[in-house]
Amino acid sequence: MSDNLHGLLQPPEPPKLENELAERGVLASILLCNADYDVVAEILRPEHFAARHRGEIFRICGDVIRSGRLADPVTIRNALQANEAVCEYGVEKALIETVKGMIAAPHSLIRAYAREIVDMATRRGVREIANSVLWGTNEFEGDTASSIINRMQEQLQGLAAGSDGTRQAKSASAATDVLLAETEASWKAGSYLSGLDCGYQTLNERIRGFRAGAMYVIAGRPGMGKSALGIGIAVRMAIAEGRGMYWSGEMSAEELMGRVVSARCGLTLDTVLTGMFDGPNGPEPVSGTPMQRIVQAGMDAKKRIPLVIDDREGLSVQQIAIRARRMAREPEGLKFIVIDYIGLLRGSDAVRRSGNRVNEVTEISGEIARLARELRIPIVALSQLNRQSENREDRRPTMSDIRDSGAIEQDARCILGVYREEHALESRMGLDGSVVRNANESDAAYQKRAAEFDAAYERSHGKGEVLILKNRGGKSGIVNLWFDGPTTWFRDQREDERGRSW
């Protein structure tokens, strides 16, 4: 290939990601009026400056001002002369170009300059990450494509987190104004909700809706129905509030929607998934009428449920966050996220290499809580419980039963424990459907215990409980629900037990 042709195929020179005037403007304002340092101190860091010597001038000014001394071209000269980066550039030259023709700018303009500097620094960081991938410098021996992508996502998230300093802190007065405005709006509307309507009235009344920026946890042992409650909340909340995202690490999108359609049409999940039912001579195709019910329920779901289902397995929180941020920028927006479930998420490469699952879950929990705050939406995360509850006479869950990490208890605004006595009793039955007999138990003792067991099983049939184990700023207690086993769906006990599911 000729040199001329090779040159034509080269990518164009990328734009220079530097705003010299903004950097000089911030420094000049600080040197002319030291109070301006506080205006940008929580936004800017020395490494944000494209020119290293200007970043060092900013660092030196900060050190001097924080010590209670005056920072101006005269008082910082000695410190500049002792700084390698500034000396390499030239102390006199650096000072002259910083203050020449500059004036102290209004605070709003200084903040705008600072945000521009941070934006440029973040874009330079993105370019460096892209180049490291392009030239292979981001790869190490034994890497897989997945580990390279995960590392890049972690680096990008680090950049995003670093640029969050542009968000200003709120004074108590400003925060109170926002609070009172929200309270007044709710009061005038006659609404008791301070968050999103989850579609279950009793649960809404108890926790006052799902608040933006908060992490909620639904915890339960396998088979208790935490996924059923998770998809129920997701569907009802999407209908009531707008588009949501549901991540499932163990069920496909089709199976999840099968549950939704099954609940709507009242036919069992197996029937909805296969179009077959158990006839007297074995499985048979359903007739036209049940099939019409399935199709109609499916059409209702398409029209009424603005829910995006992500069923990619083995994701990290950062991978979920990438899709969530994109959805939030789209016209339809993003109102909430449901994660099913925490135990199926992956931590960062660094913490996974340590082999400590508690540390990994701690990291995951913290990232979910931060994502909720960043996007200003509620995130509902499902979590497994350990086996400890199964060793108690009362198998209702407690917060200490949450698997792998105490961080979940700290990060969550609200923790809901799912419990079905019917399922717990079924686990104590033998193959004949009766309670298992204890060793050396007399006939009379067994018959008495079996009668009590049967009565408890009858009372618990078709019922479920949501135990509010933690509710920051609200009430705890128990919310009673109906549970329809064949369609795996929860309903509020104020609803018809066999009424519309959504």
Side-chain angles (χ1 to χ4, degrees), residues 25-46 49 54-69 71 104-105 107 110-111 114 168:
V26 167
L27 294 177
S29 288
I30 292 172
L31 289 170
L32 293 171
C33 178
N34 284 183
D36 289 348
Y37 175 78
D38 292 333
V39 176
V40 299
E42 66 175 328
I43 300 174
L44 269 181
R45 297 194 302 270
F49 287 77
R54 285 195 285 269
E56 290 303 305
I57 294 173
F58 180 76
R59 186 195 306 277
I60 291 168
C61 286
D63 291 342
V64 171
I65 293 168
R66 285 194 298 271
S67 70
R69 294 176 289 136
H107 287 179
I110 298 173
R111 288 194 190 95
Q168 295 294 301

Side-chain angles (χ1 to χ4, degrees), residues 460-471:
S460 65
H461 181 67
K463 296 177 182 178
E465 298 175 2
V466 173
L467 293 85
I468 304 175
L469 304 176
K470 174 186 177 181
N471 188 16

Side-chain angles (χ1 to χ4, degrees), residues 103-147:
I103 60 173
H107 287 179
S108 60
L109 190 56
I110 298 173
R111 288 194 190 95
Y113 289 166
R115 292 190 185 100
E116 172 72 5
I117 295 168
V118 172
D119 182 73
M120 289 288 180
T122 305
R123 290 168 64 187
R124 289 195 301 273
V126 172
R127 183 177 290 176
E128 288 173 8
I129 294 170
N131 284 334
S132 71
V133 174
L134 179 63
W135 301 112
T137 58
N138 198 37
E139 298 180 25
F140 303 97
E141 186 176 354
D143 266 347
T144 63
S146 177
S147 64

Side-chain angles (χ1 to χ4, degrees), residues 407-480:
I408 295 173
E409 301 172 34
Q410 300 299 320
D411 294 330
R413 174 186 175 83
C414 181
I415 297 178
L416 307 174
V418 183
Y419 180 73
R420 291 194 299 116
E421 180 73 6
E422 180 180 19
H423 179 75
L425 293 173
E426 285 172 350
S427 67
R428 304 183 189 184
M429 290 180 178
L431 295 177
D432 61 354
S434 300
V435 62
V436 175
R437 187 166 184 163
N438 296 328
N440 301 321
E441 188 174 24
S442 68
D443 289 344
Y446 173 72
Q447 290 170 3
K448 180 177 182 296
R449 189 167 64 85
E452 293 171 349
F453 180 93
D454 291 342
Y457 185 66
E458 182 65 27
R459 286 195 305 272
S460 65
H461 181 67
K463 296 177 182 178
E465 298 175 2
V466 173
L467 293 85
I468 304 175
L469 304 176
K470 174 186 177 181
N471 188 16
R472 189 178 296 155
K475 301 175 182 177
S476 58
I478 297 176
V479 174
N480 294 307

